[in-house]
Amino acid sequence: MRPDYRARIDRFNSGLNAFVDVTNDPQGDGLAWAAKSNIAVKGLPLTAGCEAYRNRISTDDAVVIARIRASGGTVLGTVNMHEGALGATTDNEAYGRTHNPWAEGITPGGSSGGSGAAVAAGLCDGALGTDTMGSVRIPAAYCGVQGHKPTTGLVPDAGVVPLSTTLDHVGPLARDVETLWHAMHVLADWDEPGAFMATPLEGLKIGVWPGQGDVDLTPAVESGIASVRSTLAGALALNDVAPPVYDYSRSRRAGLVVSEVEGSKEHQVSADGPRPEGFSDTFYSLLHWGVRQSTEKVEAAYQHIRDVHAAAERVWNEVDFIIAPTAPQEAFNFAADVPANQADFTAWADFAQLPATAIYTGLSKAGLPLSVQVIGPQGHDRETLQVAGALETVFGKPPMPSGYEW
C-alpha cells in the first residue's frame, strides 16, 4: 500500500520546514514528487527562495513538471531552498531554516536542502533539485538519500529560475536508485525504461578519487571512503585517479565567479543601480560582488571551466567510472562555520558536463549519513545509474531516520 504523503506532510513538515507550498493535486498511483521552489509549478509561487518573488505565481508548469504529470505522477508541492540557489545550508531568511531529519540543529545541505529533507523524511517518493556545483548531490549525501546530476543538457531547464545558465542542472533525489532510474526516463524523455538492472561490478575499471592530502576531509568521510575501497577491493582492481586540470581552490573561485556573475544578470543586480527589494544582505552582496568583477577575471573563470571540460575526456582512457566522496564532510551544525570546500568533489562533474550519482554508504559513528558519488562519462547516465545501483546493493538502501518510520 502506498504511503499517504499528504498525511505525512501534515504530520512532519512543521518540524522540518521542507515544504513551503502544496498543491491540491490528488495523490494518484504514479510517483509523488516535490519540486525545489525555483521550478515552476502552475498555481504556486515561483520564489527561488527569495522574498522578492513571494507573490510571483507560475502560470505554467516547467517542462520537467509537465513531464511528471504526463507520466501519471503527482506534484505535491514546492520545497525550501537556499536563497537564489546561492548557498549550501538552506538556512533561508525569508522562508525559514529547513532541518535535517537525521539530527536536531544540522543542515540538510543546499541549495536543494528542502528536496533532500523531504525525501529523507518520507514526505514524497522523490524530489527535484538543481545542481550548479553540487546542490543535488550534497543534500542527498547530508540527508542520507540518493541523488543524480544528469549530463549537461539532458534534462530541459525551461521554467526553472537559474542561478548559472552555464552550470545549472535539474536532477532527482529519491530513496533508491531504481526510483532515480524511472525519474530520469521521465525527465529526459527516454524510451520506456523496463525493469531496472544494476550493472555487475566485476570486470569494470573503477578509479577512486580519494582526495586525501588535497582536500580537508573529516575523519568520518576519510574512514568512509577507506571502507568503500576495502569493501569493493575483493571484486575490483581499484586505482587512484584525480581529474586533470582540476585545481581545487581555482575551481572554487571559477565556479563562484560564474555563478555570481550570471546570477546578478538573472536577478537584475547592477554595479551602481538601486538595490532590488526583497533580497537578504548576504544574497545581494554576493550578486553585487559578481557584477563588479573585471572582464579578465570573468573570462579566466570561464576558460578554466572550458579547460576542465576538455581535459576530462582523458580520464576515461584509464577507467570506466570514478568513485569519490560526495562531500568532504558529513552534515554540520547550523551554528558552525560553513566549510568552503563542500563542493570540491562535486563541482568537477558540473564543469566537465558529466553524469554523477550520490549514493548512501552508511552512518558515521555520530549517526550521520555518509555518501560517495559514481561519476561516469558524458552521456552515459543510464550506465552511471546502473553502477550506482550495484553499489546500493553492496551498501544497502538508505534507512529511515529515527522518528520518521512508515
Side-chain angles (χ1 to χ4, degrees), residues 12-385:
F12 292 118
N13 193 60
S14 60
L16 286 175
N17 192 36
F19 277 84
V20 291
D21 288 292
V22 295
T23 68
N24 294 318
D25 298 3
Q27 185 177 324
D29 294 329
L31 294 176
W33 286 89
K36 189 175 179 177
S37 57
N38 61 345
I39 300 174
V41 176
K42 185 177 181 179
L44 296 187
L46 180 59
T47 67
C50 301
E51 174 67 23
Y53 309 130
R54 186 181 288 270
N55 297 317
R56 180 174 65 182
I57 306 300
S58 297
T59 56
D60 292 293
D61 285 330
V63 171
V64 288
I65 298 298
R67 289 181 176 180
I68 285 172
R69 294 192 198 277
S71 74
T74 302
V75 181
L76 299 171
T78 54
V79 286
N80 202 11
M81 59 182 285
H82 205 101
E83 184 178 6
L86 189 52
T89 61
T90 312
D91 192 358
N92 190 302
E93 291 188 21
Y95 300 96
R97 173 181 287 174
T98 294
H99 298 275
N100 192 316
W102 280 96
E104 184 177 356
I106 65 169
T107 178
S111 59
S112 308
S115 303
V119 172
L123 306 188
C124 50
D125 288 311
L128 299 183
T130 58
D131 193 306
T132 305
M133 292 176 65
S135 288
V136 164
R137 290 160 289 156
I138 292 171
Y142 288 177
C143 293
V145 298
Q146 326 292 43
H148 182 69
K149 182 212 87 71
T151 293
T152 299
L154 182 61
V155 174
D157 59 6
V160 180
V161 180
L163 171 61
S164 167
T165 54
T166 297
L167 298 174
D168 284 0
H169 306 68
V170 177
L173 298 87
R175 298 194 59 80
D176 56 67
V177 178
E178 183 175 5
T179 302
L180 296 180
W181 170 265
H182 288 285
M184 283 301 301
H185 278 77
V186 171
L187 298 175
D189 198 23
W190 285 338
D191 295 334
E192 285 297 315
F196 173 69
M197 298 289 290
T199 295
L201 294 174
E202 291 79 2
L204 291 176
K205 294 185 292 183
I206 302 289
V208 178
W209 176 13
Q212 284 101 329
D214 298 313
V215 180
D216 186 16
L217 305 180
T218 65
V221 171
E222 189 161 0
S223 175
I225 192 67
S227 175
V228 169
R229 184 195 291 273
S230 64
T231 300
L232 298 179
L236 294 166
L238 302 172
N239 299 312
D240 281 2
V241 295
V245 182
Y246 187 73
D247 174 85
Y248 296 99
S249 60
R250 186 180 177 192
S251 295
R252 278 181 227 156
R253 291 193 301 270
L256 291 174
V257 167
V258 168
S259 296
E260 290 169 33
V261 166
E262 295 183 350
S264 68
K265 295 176 182 177
E266 170 64 28
H267 297 287
Q268 300 180 18
V269 171
S270 61
D272 51 7
R275 172 176 173 167
E277 294 184 6
F279 294 156
S280 70
D281 290 342
T282 299
F283 185 54
Y284 174 73
S285 67
L286 292 172
L287 297 182
H288 194 240
W289 178 87
V291 81
R292 291 181 288 113
Q293 299 310 295
S294 68
T295 301
E296 292 77 15
K297 187 172 184 177
V298 174
E299 176 51 33
Y302 281 110
Q303 186 60 54
H304 178 66
I305 291 171
R306 288 192 293 267
D307 291 343
V308 170
H309 177 216
E313 194 64 27
R314 302 204 301 263
V315 173
W316 311 119
N317 296 326
E318 304 175 32
V319 297
D320 298 318
F321 297 91
I322 292 173
I323 293 174
T326 303
Q329 58 283 121
E330 59 272 47
F332 51 89
N333 196 286
F334 279 112
D337 291 336
V338 177
N341 67 350
Q342 286 186 81
D344 276 5
F345 291 109
T346 50
W348 180 59
D350 295 288
F351 290 9
Q353 304 184 9
L354 307 174
T357 307
I359 294 295
Y360 167 85
T361 58
L363 298 175
S364 70
K365 291 180 180 179
L368 295 176
L370 298 173
S371 175
V372 298
Q373 55 178 331
V374 179
I375 307 171
Q378 190 169 349
H380 289 260
D381 289 69
R382 289 180 176 89
E383 295 85 352
T384 301
L385 286 165

